[in-house]
Amino acid sequence: MLGVLRRAALARDGCPLLSQAQSKQCKRFRFALLSACPVSHRQITFRMYSALAGGEVPINMIRNIGIIAHIDAGKTTTTERILYYAGYTDKIGDVDTGSTVTDYLPEERARGITITSACIPIQWKEHRINIIDTPGHVDFSVEVHRTLRVLDGAVVVLDGVAGVEAQTENVWTHADRLGLSRIVFVNKMDREGSSLGRAIRAIEARLLARSAKRRKAIVCQWPVVLDGTSRVSGLGSGGPGLVGIVDLLTMEVMQWKGDSGNVVSRTPLEEFIVENGSKDQKTKLECERLKGECVSARAALVEALTEVDDEILEIVLEVGDDQGKVTSKQLSAALRRVTLAGTGVPVFLGAAFRNIGVQPLLNAVVDYLPSPADVTPAAGVLSDGKRVETRWDEATLRALAFKVIHDQKRGPLVFVRVYSGSLERNAILNTTQSQPERATKLLQMYADDYEEIPRLTAGNIAAVSGLRFTYTGDTLIAPTSTKRHDVNNTLQLSPIAIPPPVFMCGLRTKGGGRSAERALQDALQMLVREDPSVRVGVNEETGQTVMSGLGELHLEIAAGRLKNGFKLQISYRETLQPPFLRVATGQAVDEDEHDDDDEGVKQDTEQQDGADQEQKSGTKPVEVMGEQVLEGVYSYSKDAEGKAHVAEVTLRVECVNNLDDLGGDGLIRFKRTELAEKDDGDAAADLSGFDDGNIVVIAVKNTGNVGVGGGETSPGKLAVAVQNDPVAWDAARDGIRAALQRGPLAGYPVTNLKVVCTKIRNPHGATLRVHPDAVRVAAERALRGIMKRQLRYQTWAGSAGRKYEVVKLLEPVMDVQVLVPDKFVGVVTRDMGGQRRGQIVGLDGSGGEEDGGSTAVDENDEENPEFVKRTVHARVPLAEMIGYSNSLRGLTAGSGDFAMKLQGYGVVQGDRMRDILRDAREQ
């Protein structure tokens, strides 16, 4: 035993790698260990590992679930109780003291919030539950999105007082898109003002009513409050007097005993009423009220199930009016069916901080949420466009990488979910990056610690070391053959969507010269691989490194990890808008100011773009073009190491959306498309839309003298080579994408353009091939020339007194939801609609205006106005939301909360655009 004790970590967060037998020994002799240790070492946390990592579990006994909610709803607190009751830890961690298992980063413990998702496998009722605690702050939504992508179900945690909050709606909507089964846990029912009835109405009105699929909220438990405060916040009120929970399926009262709540007693409701009703008259009345509410609530449960499940409807028709004959087993089976079908959402309640309601929640996870065998097979696409389903019982390995972290000891670790086959320590293929990889170690995750395992079977989640080229959203497979172009080796599972950044900041090193700069670049490379919502670029004019992200806190955390100072800026966008301009007919046009309506600008040698020659050329009259399309040509030629790099690229540019015809709110929204198609008359075309609002089309016509590489060949072979070789497309696409990263106004990214590459050729001869580097440079400079000429012509027209706005500045506009007590609605709406230039879209009550459809929670329900909250829904420019968190606390005496997400981009007008451009130049 002494050997076992020595292997136990004495630090607070030590992670002993003990065998199952050793873990049992440690638990058995924990008192002896504490008695033998010095006082300073008695804060010991034991964690059990090998019982889970060592053996394989049948796939129907696996649950992959996430804990999702708005910030401060109690996700991490609930997770800590789950870990304790499942036997993973022998002591409950606390968010306030920074002793939780899943919040292990220093930033998380210092701020008391979850920043990164953490996965821990536990055992419950002979089932394996891979549980992932996710962030609740809107700035870290990507963590939630990429986690939900690989899960089969979710537990949605609500604050019993606040109910459905802004971020709750966001994560619920994303879970809807993925088709995840869910159960709801109404937490903090021991707080004054908590209300199950209000929470149910909010679920029905703000979550279920907005879902495409018809769903019902099915209440499975009822609060037991006998101190006379049960009606403070309407029917189903909680409060400090919460002493238990009624299981409506069995009509039993559950009570939690002991300091840690690990002993759960069950008493039939009738016996509980008799036992407590004899104490005094007041308690007797409360017990009678409780009985009546529970009978009505169970009837409502049965009625809700009959609306969405035919089997339970037949049972109810058989028993007639006596619904009490419907057994708990029949109701439980119906709940599982409707949860898996997505037509019902079971609702449970508790108070995790007081250790109430967590064990029944774990039972519900096992009983109602799906296993990997119960969900729709994962969909993938081959390079030929054929859709393929991945079933869990297939032998071929197919897995998705959903997260990357950098461990100080183990290096990059890639988190993967295996959908079919098994992952072992051998060679695999990354089909997204077209790179072979080798898994050197497979590790079972335990938040910030790991244990090596021999292999990973279908339906499970683990970390892999040794993968050098794998990023978030990449597909990993076992190669089906050694053929390089085998279509079966191109399967890609559905990727993980990453929202575009809206904030940006400049980074700088504090001395150290080139070594410090290299260290910063290395750190940024690791950061971008870990967090795909972080974008990094370089300001070409100043040479400063620029980092973009999803919010103020997001960038603050990222910059803090780099130990780097930063100044927050808004990520504006630029675009072109018809009518386009050209030099007036009859005017002489210099070579670098060529009319875009003709062949475009031709430059036979490397030189500055025509827009930089404006001072030499002077001002010329301009006129409006009749066409809505711009064209440009750029010829590039440069000798490198004795070889000529030559290419000529022709581009056609038009707008994706006309800003004058957007309608509605007048915002440009980004849509992600991934298509490959062939245009009529084109030898080859490739269309790929990204989350920047642009569309790039490679439509190379058969000109007979196009090729990529070096050497000579016949014209016909050259044409076929480039049309079937993605190297040519990639080179042109990379050049176009590079040009779109920096607009002509102030260097902001460009959006809302469709750029078509119509020709790639060598202008010096049909038998000479073009170099891919030359193609990339020519494409980039051709597009930049097109955009800069439009800005120049716009300036010339302004000098002549004719105002045209071809090059426009766009600003991000946010969808903002502010949850505040009713008495503060007026001051918040005035602030939003006034100095913040916002548009108030709507005003909702915390319980919603729609009927929840359940008489158990609606009948004679009266709210205490002290606890009623309203949601102010508005669209506000992002620039006006900087520092809003502090402002909202001042406006609402600390009682307000808000969440926001990108709604779209709107046009910046007049003086405000001039102010933004002036500030950009100064920075």
Side-chain angles (χ1 to χ4, degrees):
M1 182 59 193
L2 290 177
V4 175
L5 299 185
R6 291 191 186 100
R7 285 191 294 269
L10 295 179
R12 180 181 185 86
D13 295 304
C15 302
L17 296 179
L18 306 178
S19 68
Q20 185 175 5
Q22 291 169 341
S23 297
K24 290 181 179 179
Q25 281 182 298
C26 283
K27 283 202 164 189
R28 190 177 304 142
F29 295 101
R30 180 174 182 271
F31 176 78
L33 174 62
L34 291 177
S35 300
C37 289
V39 175
S40 60
H41 286 160
R42 292 186 183 180
Q43 293 289 332
I44 300 174
T45 299
F46 290 95
R47 303 182 188 177
M48 296 181 64
Y49 297 82
S50 300
L52 291 170
E56 296 178 2
V57 179
I59 194 167
N60 64 327
M61 300 182 71
I62 297 174
R63 301 290 185 270
N64 295 312
I65 67 161
I67 310 294
I68 60 177
H70 188 86
I71 191 172
D72 288 336
K75 299 181 305 301
T76 302
T77 300
T78 303
T79 303
E80 284 298 316
R81 272 66 184 174
I82 289 175
L83 298 180
Y84 175 74
Y85 296 132
Y88 175 77
T89 60
D90 68 339
K91 186 177 61 179
I92 299 174
D94 185 15
V95 174
D96 295 332
T97 60
S99 59
T100 58
V101 175
T102 54
D103 287 351
Y104 57 85
L105 293 178
E107 297 92 340
E108 292 179 312
R109 293 185 170 180
R111 297 172 183 269
I113 62 172
T114 301
I115 295 173
T116 183
S117 56
C119 179
I120 298 178
I122 62 170
Q123 281 185 318
W124 188 260
K125 293 174 64 174
E126 299 182 350
H127 286 67
R128 177 193 181 104
I129 304 177
N130 294 313
I131 182 170
I132 301 184
D133 181 27
T134 65
H137 197 286
V138 66
D139 281 12
F140 307 106
S141 296
V142 168
E143 278 291 319
V144 184
H145 292 180
R146 63 181 179 179
T147 297
L148 292 181
R149 171 64 180 80
V150 298
L151 297 180
D152 305 315
V155 176
V156 182
V157 181
L158 300 185
D159 186 321
V161 178
V164 175
E165 300 175 85
Q167 184 64 0
T168 313
E169 294 188 63
N170 294 338
V171 296
W172 185 278
T173 301
H174 193 73
D176 268 344
R177 295 194 194 103
L178 298 172
L180 292 183
S181 300
R182 276 147 282 174
I183 60 178
V184 173
F185 180 63
V186 183
N187 191 28
K188 301 186 179 183
M189 285 297 293
D190 60 329
R191 289 182 56 194
E192 185 178 358
S194 58
S195 171
L196 178 62
R198 186 170 63 241
I200 296 300
R201 289 195 303 276
I203 292 169
E204 293 279 3
R206 298 181 59 183
L207 301 181
L208 303 184
R210 300 176 185 179
S211 299
K213 181 181 289 187
R214 178 173 173 265
R215 289 186 173 94
K216 295 288 293 183
I218 304 173
V219 181
C220 299
Q221 295 176 342
W222 200 258
V224 178
V225 182
L226 303 179
D227 62 355
T229 63
S230 60
R231 298 295 297 225
V232 169
S233 297
L235 197 62
S237 295
L242 181 71
V243 296
I245 296 174
V246 177
D247 183 344
L248 296 178
L249 277 69
T250 62
M251 295 299 278
E252 294 176 325
V253 177
M254 298 177 289
Q255 291 180 288
W256 282 260
K257 301 178 180 179
D259 295 337
S260 56
N262 52 0
V263 177
V264 184
S265 65
R266 282 180 171 265
T267 306
L269 179 61
E270 292 290 348
E271 293 184 16
F272 180 84
I273 296 298
V274 172
E275 178 182 346
N276 290 272
S278 59
K279 294 180 179 179
D280 54 61
Q281 184 63 26
K282 180 180 178 181
T283 306
K284 180 180 179 181
L285 294 176
E286 287 295 319
C287 288
E288 291 176 354
R289 172 201 55 79
L290 175 65
K291 179 180 178 180
E293 289 178 354
C294 291
V295 170
S296 299
R298 192 179 197 274
L301 183 155
V302 176
E303 181 182 350
L305 284 173
T306 59
E307 295 181 21
V308 291
D309 185 73
D310 292 337
E311 292 187 35
I312 202 70
L313 176 61
E314 293 178 2
I315 294 173
V316 171
L317 293 177
E318 290 178 3
V319 300
D321 295 334
D322 190 3
Q323 294 185 358
K325 293 183 179 180
V326 182
T327 66
S328 60
K329 289 186 178 180
Q330 292 170 330
L331 292 176
S332 182
L335 282 171
R336 179 169 179 80
R337 288 193 297 270
V338 300
T339 305
L340 298 186
T343 55
V345 180
V347 180
F348 302 87
L349 62 95
F353 188 74
R354 285 180 51 191
N355 310 318
I356 296 176
V358 177
Q359 295 95 326
L361 177 65
L362 274 171
N363 292 337
V365 168
V366 169
D367 294 339
Y368 306 135
L369 290 180
S371 72
D374 297 321
V375 299
T376 304
V381 180
L382 298 175
S383 59
D384 59 4
K386 182 181 177 181
R387 291 183 61 84
V388 178
E389 286 190 346
T390 299
R391 297 183 55 84
W392 67 269
D393 53 356
E394 295 178 8
T396 304
L397 168 67
R398 291 171 182 170
L400 183 72
F402 67 96
K403 183 175 179 176
V404 181
I405 67 170
H406 283 77
D407 186 82
Q408 291 183 350
K409 296 180 180 179
R410 300 173 180 87
L413 298 179
V414 180
F415 289 26
V416 300
R417 157 75 187 267
V418 176
Y419 287 94
S420 68
S422 62
L423 178 60
E424 299 181 3
R425 294 188 293 267
N426 51 25
I428 55 179
L429 176 64
N430 183 328
T431 59
T432 307
Q433 307 293 338
S434 299
Q435 289 282 357
E437 295 269 30
R438 176 169 291 277
T440 57
K441 287 185 179 181
L442 304 181
L443 304 170
Q444 182 61 66
M445 303 97 69
Y446 299 96
D448 59 339
D449 205 0
Y450 309 89
E451 182 178 11
E452 189 170 352
I453 55 178
R455 69 170 186 160
L456 187 65
T457 56
N460 280 300
I461 296 172
V464 184
S465 66
L467 306 184
R468 298 185 298 162
F469 307 104
T470 302
Y471 288 77
T472 295
D474 287 359
T475 300
L476 303 173
I477 68 170
T480 56
S481 71
T482 58
K483 295 181 180 179
R484 181 177 180 183
H485 300 294
D486 187 350
V487 70
N488 293 319
N489 287 342
T490 64
L491 173 72
Q492 292 188 24
L493 299 173
S494 299
I496 298 173
I498 306 298
V502 292
F503 280 101
M504 64 182 182
C505 64
L507 302 175
R508 63 182 184 276
T509 57
K510 299 178 180 179
R514 293 184 179 180
S515 61
E517 188 67 30
R518 284 195 298 269
L520 173 61
Q521 296 304 321
D522 292 343
L524 284 171
Q525 186 177 5
M526 289 192 297
L527 181 62
V528 170
R529 193 179 180 192
E530 285 191 7
D531 186 352
S533 61
V534 172
R535 312 285 174 87
V536 175
V538 177
N539 187 313
E540 293 185 358
E541 292 183 358
T542 64
Q544 186 181 33
T545 301
V546 177
M547 182 172 64
S548 304
L550 299 181
E552 293 180 73
L553 183 60
H554 184 209
L555 284 183
E556 182 181 341
I557 295 295
R561 294 175 65 183
L562 298 171
K563 295 181 174 59
N564 203 295
F566 71 98
K567 181 179 180 181
L568 198 64
Q569 303 173 38
I570 304 299
S571 181
Y572 294 97
R573 295 290 192 273
E574 299 178 22
T575 192
L576 302 181
Q577 170 67 15
F580 297 129
L581 305 175
R582 66 180 179 184
V583 174
T585 305
Q587 293 291 319
V589 180
D590 294 338
E591 190 176 77
D592 61 340
E593 299 161 2
H594 202 284
D595 186 355
D596 288 320
D597 203 23
D598 296 328
E599 190 179 26
V601 174
K602 281 192 174 183
Q603 299 180 10
D604 294 330
T605 58
E606 183 183 12
Q607 57 180 305
Q608 290 290 330
D609 195 278
D612 297 329
Q613 312 268 341
E614 181 176 343
Q615 297 300 324
K616 297 180 181 180
S617 59
T619 300
K620 292 185 174 66
V622 297
E623 63 184 9
V624 175
M625 293 175 53
E627 295 81 5
Q628 303 293 303
V629 177
L630 297 170
E631 288 192 357
V633 180
Y634 193 100
S635 294
Y636 176 84
S637 177
K638 183 178 180 180
D639 289 335
E641 297 179 354
K643 296 182 179 179
H645 290 190
V646 182
E648 183 181 277
V649 174
T650 303
L651 301 181
R652 187 176 70 243
V653 178
E654 57 187 291
C655 292
V656 176
N657 299 295
N658 191 319
L659 300 183
D660 297 329
D661 299 330
L662 290 175
D665 53 18
L667 300 179
I668 295 178
R669 290 173 172 80
F670 294 166
K671 295 181 179 179
R672 184 182 180 89
T673 14
E674 293 181 352
L675 302 171
E677 57 186 39
K678 196 168 184 176
D679 294 343
D680 294 337
D682 289 340
D686 177 64
L687 171 63
S688 56
F690 293 80
D691 57 3
D692 59 1
N694 298 306
I695 297 176
V696 176
V697 182
I698 308 300
V700 180
K701 294 182 181 297
N702 190 341
T703 58
N705 65 337
V706 183
V708 174
E712 298 181 3
T713 184
S714 64
K717 291 183 178 179
L718 279 169
V720 173
V722 72
Q723 290 154 19
N724 295 330
D725 191 346
V727 174
W729 303 351
D730 291 344
R733 185 185 299 109
D734 290 346
I736 293 171
R737 289 286 174 197
L740 290 171
Q741 291 303 307
R742 184 172 176 78
L745 268 177
Y748 293 114
V750 180
T751 188
N752 197 44
L753 291 188
K754 179 180 179 181
V755 184
V756 184
C757 178
T758 59
K759 187 183 296 184
I760 304 173
R761 74 186 190 96
N762 189 319
H764 295 171
T767 61
L768 298 177
R769 305 192 70 174
V770 295
H771 195 280
D773 290 344
V775 174
R776 179 185 56 78
V777 174
E780 178 180 356
R781 295 186 179 178
L783 180 54
R784 286 189 175 178
I786 291 173
M787 295 188 293
K788 287 185 176 182
R789 282 192 297 278
Q790 287 300 304
L791 178 60
R792 183 191 309 121
Y793 298 161
Q794 175 179 304
T795 303
W796 290 354
S799 301
R802 301 174 63 187
K803 185 177 181 181
Y804 296 106
E805 293 186 358
V806 179
V807 186
K808 293 180 177 288
L809 185 69
L810 306 176
E811 66 176 340
V813 178
M814 311 303 289
D815 178 26
V816 182
Q817 297 184 53
V818 187
L819 186 67
V820 294
D822 189 65
K823 61 182 178 181
F824 294 116
V825 168
V827 66
V828 170
T829 53
R830 286 193 297 272
D831 177 65
M832 279 286 184
Q835 63 181 17
R836 298 189 186 277
R837 301 185 292 122
Q839 177 186 0
I840 305 300
V841 177
L843 187 65
D844 299 325
S846 61
E849 298 178 359
E850 300 184 31
D851 183 10
S854 174
T855 56
V857 295
D858 292 339
E859 183 181 5
N860 300 323
D861 195 0
E862 296 181 0
E863 290 279 6
N864 185 332
E866 186 69 23
F867 302 106
V868 174
K869 288 193 175 184
R870 308 290 294 278
T871 300
V872 179
H873 189 187
R875 281 192 288 269
V876 188
L878 176 61
E880 307 299 337
M881 295 301 295
I882 295 179
Y884 184 66
S885 179
N886 293 332
S887 299
L888 182 62
R889 281 196 291 269
L891 291 172
T892 62
S895 60
D897 194 10
F898 82 101
M900 64 181 181
K901 62 181 179 181
L902 180 64
Q903 182 78 7
Y905 281 81
V907 178
V908 180
Q909 303 290 349
D911 294 339
R912 175 162 173 74
M913 184 178 77
R914 286 191 289 272
D915 293 341
I916 293 172
L917 296 180
R918 184 183 64 251
D919 293 343
R921 285 192 294 269
E922 291 175 355
Q923 293 172 1

